[in-house]
Amino acid sequence: MELPRIISVDDHVIEPAHLFERWLPKKYQDRGPKPLTAGIGELEYVAGKYQITMDPEGPPTDWWIYEDLKFPYKRNIAAVGFDRDDMTLEGITRAEMRPGCHDPKERLKDMDLNHVEASLCFPTFPRFCGQTFAERKDKEVALACVRAYNDFMVEEWCGDSGGRLIPLCIIPLWDVELAVAEIKRNAARGVRAVTFSEIPTHLGLPSIHSGYWDPFFAACEETGTGVHMHIGSSSQMPAASPDAPPAVQASLSFNNAMASMMDFLFSGVLVKFPRLKLAYSEGQMGWIPYALERADDVWREHRAWGGVRDLIPEPPSTYYYRQIWACFFRDMHGVTDAALDVIGRDNACFETDYPHVDSTFPETKQVALEHMKGIDDEVVYKLMRGNAIRLLELDFDKDRAR
């Protein structure tokens, strides 16, 4: 099989130390994030949360210091180039990272090594949907930081890539009208992707059922901006017990995507905004067939007492096939013919998760080929790039019917 070059819908950028010095207006820089290299203490995992301290005697680590926040980069989020057993939660400096983590020109070289033509990258220091800025007290500076990050993303990270690095922007989560303005500001310069929380109530924000986010969804629909939700963008990961090891969270991470998708399917949001596009990043998709079956069964059997009789006029799967994209990279169960019959051959995209510990780099082509065994060439094209082109409204493959 000749595998098409991949368009990865979920990778990550490690922010360069100069980001806010270069992109944050001077009047905010004293109060904005500052880079620092300092020792890190032993990291503890307590009740599902990481406890991190500075230690002058500890291993050198690159940090961001911002108001009361001390944010270190850890080896598991810049894992490419390390052996599996060395992909730990220890601190790391940019000098120790593979340069493609934070240098866009080096990233393009690594994409060439990895059979990847284009890549959409989530933030690291701002966290998956900009929680870092939403949690700070000085919202004037926080808004300036959101805009600075987006300017960096569009103009520096993606600017000289010839379209191969695809901009993914964040919003000021604490104010929906400011979020609308930021969507429109970025859409005017060609951005077609924004990151959002899978479960905003976990961040202390209004739910998608409340109507609060409707102006945001309307702006995304109007501008063709897809809403991308990464696992962990609710700042919580599922675990069975508070003292369970992190491996339990890692194994259950798809749970957040499943919960979020059910929330949207029964919210009426997709009925109200029929051209809104949702994408679930790093959620995998082998769970989707049963989730859709259950959603449709509940709608059919329980809609009267379940509160959705007048809210959801058609089976929930109707809106899934019309408006939702799944994402996978290691999910053999999700790419069987039987699974794809239900997941939808037009509803799934591939990712590489560079440079995280889950990344398939530098073996992405082999991993993808293993998953695509026995799959029709046209479907392979859709899964590897065609569906991402539709989702992100890319200029690739213009001569090919979509």
Side-chain angles (χ1 to χ4, degrees):
M1 176 192 301
E2 184 58 38
L3 188 76
R5 289 186 78 192
I6 292 161
I7 295 176
S8 174
V9 296
D10 173 27
D11 296 312
H12 302 266
V13 56
I14 304 295
E15 295 81 15
H18 65 252
L19 191 158
F20 295 100
E21 181 181 3
R22 180 173 297 177
W23 295 102
L24 189 64
K26 296 290 184 186
K27 67 178 180 177
Y28 298 120
Q29 289 192 4
D30 286 347
R31 294 179 285 159
K34 296 176 182 61
L36 175 71
T37 302
I40 192 170
E42 288 191 17
L43 184 144
E44 293 184 88
Y45 185 72
V46 180
K49 300 288 185 180
Y50 295 112
Q51 307 289 333
I52 305 169
T53 57
M54 284 186 171
D55 180 354
E57 305 300 319
T61 299
D62 278 344
W63 303 71
W64 288 102
I65 308 302
Y66 176 33
E67 290 191 2
D68 59 345
L69 176 67
K70 297 178 176 65
F71 181 98
Y73 287 123
K74 302 186 295 295
R75 194 177 289 191
N76 67 317
I77 62 171
V80 290
F82 291 97
D83 292 332
R84 283 286 160 193
D85 287 338
D86 292 327
M87 294 179 180
T88 65
L89 294 172
E90 296 174 40
I92 191 172
T93 63
R94 292 179 186 83
E96 296 172 294
M97 298 175 190
R98 190 175 179 90
C101 293
H102 52 84
D103 183 325
K105 291 184 173 59
E106 294 297 322
R107 177 64 66 93
L108 292 174
K109 293 177 185 177
D110 279 354
M111 288 162 59
D112 288 337
L113 289 173
N114 207 29
H115 201 68
V116 173
E117 183 165 12
S119 167
L120 183 80
C121 292
F122 282 82
T124 302
F125 166 63
R127 310 218 303 277
F128 290 143
C129 65
Q131 302 103 297
T132 291
F133 304 123
E135 292 169 359
R136 306 281 71 78
K137 293 179 181 178
D138 189 331
K139 289 299 191 287
E140 181 184 4
V141 176
L143 178 60
C145 287
V146 167
R147 291 172 173 164
Y149 176 84
N150 289 338
D151 291 344
F152 154 77
M153 169 58 57
V154 174
E155 298 180 38
E156 182 178 339
W157 182 254
C158 301
D160 294 329
S161 70
R164 295 184 62 193
L165 293 171
I166 305 161
L168 174 65
C169 288
I170 60 176
I171 57 170
L173 289 163
W174 61 93
D175 186 314
V176 71
E177 294 303 329
L178 291 176
V180 168
E182 192 63 10
I183 289 293
K184 292 182 177 180
R185 182 177 84 94
N186 291 312
R189 50 182 174 175
V191 175
R192 293 295 179 267
V194 65
T195 177
F196 186 64
S197 176
E198 61 206 349
I199 309 172
T201 53
H202 286 346
L203 303 179
L205 299 169
S207 82
I208 62 167
H209 303 273
S210 67
Y212 175 83
W213 296 104
D214 283 2
F216 166 70
F217 295 136
C220 290
E221 181 181 59
E222 176 190 338
T223 59
T225 301
V227 177
H228 294 250
M229 294 171 284
H230 197 285
I231 57 165
S233 57
S234 58
S235 296
Q236 291 189 23
M237 296 292 278
S241 306
D243 55 349
V248 174
Q249 289 186 327
S251 299
L252 290 174
S253 59
F254 72 92
N255 235 331
N256 280 9
M258 181 166 61
S260 176
M261 189 178 85
M262 288 297 188
D263 224 17
F264 270 100
L265 289 178
F266 285 109
S267 68
V269 168
L270 300 181
V271 179
K272 193 180 299 184
F273 303 104
R275 292 178 290 108
L276 180 67
K277 299 177 292 186
L278 305 181
Y280 285 100
S281 302
E282 209 172 316
Q284 311 299 346
M285 60 185 193
W287 51 270
I288 289 177
Y290 176 70
L292 291 178
E293 178 185 341
R294 180 59 181 163
D296 284 356
D297 279 349
V298 167
W299 178 85
R300 186 166 42 250
E301 305 294 338
H302 307 291
R303 62 179 177 265
W305 72 266
V308 294
R309 181 184 58 198
D310 301 319
L311 186 64
I312 311 299
E314 298 180 74
S317 63
T318 305
Y319 310 104
Y320 165 84
Y321 292 119
R322 186 176 73 189
Q323 294 174 253
I324 295 179
W325 279 256
C327 169
F328 73 102
F329 57 105
R330 286 193 182 93
D331 189 348
M332 297 296 290
H333 184 72
V335 292
T336 64
D337 277 331
L340 287 172
D341 283 344
V342 183
I343 293 166
R345 290 162 175 81
D346 295 320
N347 295 80
C349 302
F350 196 72
E351 64 157 282
T352 80
D353 198 30
Y354 182 110
H356 281 189
V357 68
D358 250 336
S359 179
T360 52
F361 177 88
E363 299 168 345
T364 295
K365 184 175 183 180
Q366 294 89 328
V367 171
L369 284 170
E370 183 67 22
H371 280 70
M372 294 298 101
K373 282 182 180 176
I375 303 295
D376 175 81
D377 285 351
E378 184 62 27
V379 177
V380 171
Y381 169 81
K382 289 182 177 184
L383 297 177
M384 294 296 106
R385 62 187 287 122
N387 293 337
I389 289 171
R390 282 193 304 113
L391 168 63
L392 295 163
E393 300 187 6
L394 302 177
D395 289 334
F396 294 91
D397 304 351
K398 285 183 178 179
D399 57 337
R400 183 161 185 156
R402 297 185 182 184

